[in-house]
Amino acid sequence: MSRHSEDPSDLLSSDDSNLHDFFPSSPSSHRFTSPPPAECRDGSIGHRMVSEQPTLPLELIEYTIELFYRRYRSFRALRALSEANSQLRLMTLRRYMTSLDIRSEKQLTSLLYLHISMLSRSNIEWERVGFQTLTVQCATLAKAPWRPNLLSSLLSLHVSFAEEARSTQKIRLQQIFDIPLTNSPMTHLTSLTLTGLWRIDVFLLSIVARAFPGLLSLHLSCTEHLDLSCCWTCFEESSSAVIHSPVPNHFSTVASLTSAFAKELKPLTKLIDLHLGIFLSNEDMLENHIDHYNSPRAYSHALRTSFARNRNPTHTGTVLSQSESPHLAHLEHVSYAQDERDPESSETVASTTLDEVLPFPHGPEMCPICAIMVSAPEVRTHELEASLALAQKLKSVRTVSWSSFFAWKIPAEDQRRIGDWQRVTKTYVLRSGGRVRVRRRPWN
């Protein structure tokens, strides 16, 4: 089979474990493969005129490397370019190390050796080559010689806890963040993403705030552990393993949750985008929903004749506002209004009937009984109230997003497909005239 038809998946990280073998630590041992200088008529060594050796613009070469890297992301495919000459080596490594997806402990160790080798060079151009975006499994960071103090160029870090056990999350957080970054936090890191978490609590937030005080974007998610791909039994088991809805068993109310979280996130004075991948609906909503599929008509009859008529009215709205001053906010009630252009206002669950064939299994947003038991507008309002409370205490925040069963907006094509990306509701913050407002679409 020809080289150009090779499957890119076969080239991923299979050979990256020995990268340091190709990059000696001493710049003097590098072999320059450029053409030798020409010999002049008088026997002296001179250089040909630039006009006799036309060269391609560096921008075009870098663009060619970029196109090639999009097709083949393994270093094996880029190795020939890196060995051509020192200039191509620099451009190739700069692109290769910009965004890395680490698959193993051995691969990470090799890349760290390579990075240390480049840091030892005296050429300032080599110092600009380094990790910028790093995606890695939690266990890999815990087992490899993780030395965050050497990654001065790292701007974005994505750590997946999906393969970790629920009982080891706290230990892993201490191993990779708390202990190595206690005395020298990574102030240059601007984006942190932790997916596959088993719980989001004050311990996690306190470690993140201490280790990465310069964050502009923080994405934490755990609701992707809910398994809707198999059967009701798997769905029930997965829901009992992860703390997807911390209210009311871990926090009595949404207000107490936001107050505790805001206190731990206070050191993040530059934070702009915050995502907390937990549900703000009550935990028993999902537990009751799992019971509904056994006898849905019996549930429906009882609820329609008793529960539905006795619901206590609550405040609902799609635009919430309050004074930005914490002192005045305690004295002032939240203002509720309606946004006629709310992109997530379509209550599709109301059209679902018991005679329809529903996916098996499915979430509360598609359950006709949950449509009676649970007020979706009320849950949606709780999400806005939580966003407003965080925005009052975290003055730099511009967007706050949560996991939600009732997020009916179709995800944008350019949305990052990480974590529980299909069940995300995003709120936008506006600060004006001494007040802070939140809604589900941009203000400009």
Side-chain angles (χ1 to χ4, degrees):
M1 184 178 293
S2 61
R3 175 68 176 178
H4 65 273
S5 63
E6 188 172 356
D7 187 355
S9 61
D10 297 334
L11 299 173
L12 288 175
S13 71
S14 59
D15 61 319
D16 294 352
S17 58
N18 297 311
L19 284 174
H20 58 281
D21 295 339
F22 308 121
F23 299 94
S25 58
S26 174
S28 62
S29 59
H30 172 65
R31 294 178 302 154
F32 293 94
T33 57
S34 301
E39 184 175 352
C40 298
R41 292 182 180 179
D42 57 0
S44 63
I45 300 298
H47 296 273
R48 292 193 180 103
M49 298 297 293
V50 176
S51 59
E52 297 180 7
Q53 296 183 1
T55 58
L56 290 174
L58 293 180
E59 293 80 2
L60 181 58
I61 297 176
E62 289 184 345
Y63 183 66
T64 303
I65 294 175
E66 171 67 26
L67 294 178
F68 191 80
Y69 180 77
R70 292 180 185 179
R71 181 71 172 87
Y72 302 105
R73 291 179 176 268
S74 168
F75 178 74
R76 177 167 46 145
L78 299 172
R79 179 181 174 183
L81 282 173
S82 69
E83 292 181 339
N85 57 47
S86 58
Q87 194 171 44
L88 281 177
R89 175 182 295 240
L90 176 63
M91 288 188 289
T92 302
L93 283 180
R94 180 186 295 151
R95 181 60 190 90
Y96 174 72
M97 298 186 69
T98 296
S99 179
L100 290 171
D101 188 356
I102 305 298
R103 305 293 182 85
S104 68
E105 175 189 351
K106 190 175 182 181
Q107 184 189 5
L108 177 59
T109 302
S110 181
L111 288 167
L112 287 175
Y113 282 145
L114 171 60
H115 185 64
I116 294 172
S117 173
M118 291 186 297
L119 289 178
S120 66
R121 298 173 184 269
S122 58
N123 191 334
I124 191 171
E125 290 295 329
W126 282 100
E127 295 178 2
R128 295 174 183 173
V129 180
F131 303 160
Q132 293 186 18
T133 301
L134 185 63
T135 301
V136 64
Q137 292 290 330
C138 171
T140 301
L141 283 184
K143 296 176 182 178
W146 168 238
R147 301 175 66 180
N149 59 310
L150 296 178
L151 304 181
S152 58
S153 60
L154 187 63
L155 301 177
S156 177
L157 177 63
H158 177 188
V159 183
S160 173
F161 287 73
E163 297 182 1
E164 284 297 312
R166 177 179 177 178
S167 59
T168 61
Q169 176 175 309
K170 183 176 181 180
I171 298 174
R172 293 300 195 200
L173 287 170
Q174 291 176 323
Q175 287 177 334
I176 64 178
F177 294 147
D178 195 17
I179 297 176
L181 295 172
T182 299
N183 298 321
S184 56
M186 296 184 70
T187 56
H188 52 275
L189 193 80
T190 59
S191 175
L192 177 65
T193 301
L194 305 181
T195 55
L197 294 164
W198 293 98
R199 59 189 175 276
I200 298 175
D201 52 19
V202 294
F203 177 79
L204 167 64
L205 298 180
S206 63
I207 285 184
V208 168
R210 289 197 308 269
F212 310 102
L215 286 179
L216 302 178
S217 174
L218 176 60
H219 183 111
L220 308 175
S221 180
C222 67
T223 55
E224 59 266 32
H225 279 294
L226 293 180
D227 185 9
L228 290 170
S229 63
C230 186
C231 60
W232 283 103
T233 301
C234 292
F235 184 29
E236 184 175 6
E237 289 180 354
S238 64
S239 67
S240 62
V242 60
I243 302 179
H244 51 79
S245 307
V247 177
N249 291 334
H250 300 273
F251 295 92
S252 58
T253 62
V254 173
S256 63
L257 180 146
T258 55
S259 179
F261 283 9
K263 180 180 179 181
E264 300 301 331
L265 294 173
K266 199 72 173 179
L268 302 181
T269 57
K270 300 179 181 179
L271 187 63
I272 296 176
D273 300 310
L274 174 63
H275 173 77
L276 298 173
I278 53 177
F279 298 120
L280 294 181
S281 49
N282 284 356
E283 185 175 8
D284 57 3
M285 182 191 77
L286 188 58
E287 295 175 355
N288 293 333
H289 163 68
I290 294 175
D291 294 334
H292 294 164
Y293 79 96
N294 287 322
S295 53
R297 285 176 174 77
Y299 266 104
S300 178
H301 177 73
L303 294 171
R304 291 182 187 277
T305 56
S306 59
F307 179 81
R309 297 181 180 179
N310 298 324
R311 293 188 62 89
N312 295 323
T314 58
H315 291 290
T316 60
T318 53
V319 180
L320 276 61
S321 66
Q322 197 174 23
S323 173
E324 191 170 9
S325 172
H327 304 289
L328 297 177
H330 290 295
L331 305 175
E332 177 189 351
H333 293 292
V334 176
S335 174
Y336 298 83
Q338 296 297 326
D339 180 10
E340 300 298 332
R341 298 171 58 191
D342 189 333
E344 301 181 23
S345 61
S346 176
E347 298 186 21
T348 56
V349 71
S351 62
T352 306
T353 65
L354 291 173
D355 296 327
E356 295 183 36
V357 178
L358 298 174
F360 183 78
H362 57 271
E365 73 279 6
M366 301 186 68
C367 177
I369 303 173
C370 289
I372 303 172
M373 289 186 62
V374 181
S375 171
E378 183 178 335
V379 174
R380 307 293 277 145
T381 302
H382 287 331
E383 295 163 357
L384 288 172
E385 289 172 342
S387 300
L388 179 64
L390 288 176
Q392 284 178 322
K393 298 174 182 178
L394 305 176
K395 302 300 183 181
S396 60
V397 167
R398 298 177 188 174
T399 65
V400 181
S401 52
W402 309 87
S403 291
S404 177
F405 283 114
F406 306 106
W408 294 299
K409 182 181 178 182
I410 300 176
E413 293 183 358
D414 59 346
Q415 179 176 332
R416 295 178 65 195
R417 300 195 173 193
I418 57 174
D420 196 7
W421 61 275
Q422 291 182 304
R423 288 186 295 219
V424 172
T425 179
K426 189 173 186 178
T427 58
Y428 298 84
V429 180
L430 174 65
R431 306 176 193 276
S432 177
R435 298 183 68 81
V436 56
R437 299 172 175 84
V438 293
R439 70 181 184 187
R440 294 190 186 92
R441 62 186 178 93
W443 290 93
N444 50 7

